[in-house]
């Protein structure tokens, strides 16, 4: 694994992660959206794509048919970025 940090846009990585699941998204008739301002971050692109792909895979796998998956990213204080993936589907029991 290359450990180089590069200047990347989270939106591009999220689009890439969604595109890998395109056939599953179509078969379940899911709507997808990516919300967030144009931000760039210095990060290991490979590792961030790996994490985002796992989150998108989970959302697509457990989303109910005919629902929406929403990916959101935003800058937060202290030079951090918040990335969230929301879907309507199977949830984890509170217990």
């Amino acid at each position: 694994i290359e450990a180089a940090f590069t200047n990347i846009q989270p939106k591009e990585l999220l689009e890439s992660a969604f595109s890998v699941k395109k056939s599953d998204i179509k078969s379940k008739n899911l709507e997808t959206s990516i919300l967030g301002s144009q931000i760039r971050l210095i990060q290991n692109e490979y590792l961030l794509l790996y994490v985002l792909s796992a989150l998108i895979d989970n959302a697509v796998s457990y989303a109910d048919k005919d629902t929406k998956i929403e990916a959101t990213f935003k800058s937060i204080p202290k030079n951090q970025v918040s990335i969230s993936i929301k879907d309507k589907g199977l949830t984890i029991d509170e217990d």
Side-chain angles (χ1 to χ4, degrees), residues 56-84:
I56 296 296
D57 179 63
N58 183 274
V60 171
S61 296
Y62 293 103
D64 292 335
K65 288 184 176 185
D66 303 314
T67 59
K68 181 178 184 176
I69 298 173
E70 184 177 274
T72 306
F73 60 94
K74 62 183 176 182
S75 293
I76 57 175
K78 297 185 182 178
N79 289 326
Q80 297 180 11
V81 174
S82 168
I83 299 174
S84 68

Side-chain angles (χ1 to χ4, degrees), residues 13-14 17 44-58 83 85:
L13 294 182
L14 287 164
N44 182 309
E45 184 173 356
Y46 175 80
L47 292 177
L48 185 56
L49 179 59
Y50 179 81
V51 169
L52 293 177
S53 295
L55 293 172
I56 296 296
D57 179 63
N58 183 274
I83 299 174
I85 313 293

Side-chain angles (χ1 to χ4, degrees), residues 2 4 11 14-16 27 31 42 49 54-55 72 75 79 85 87 94:
E2 184 178 325
K11 183 176 182 176
L14 287 164
E15 288 170 347
S16 179
S27 71
E31 179 185 342
I42 305 297
L49 179 59
L55 293 172
T72 306
S75 293
N79 289 326
I85 313 293
D87 68 271
E94 287 185 28

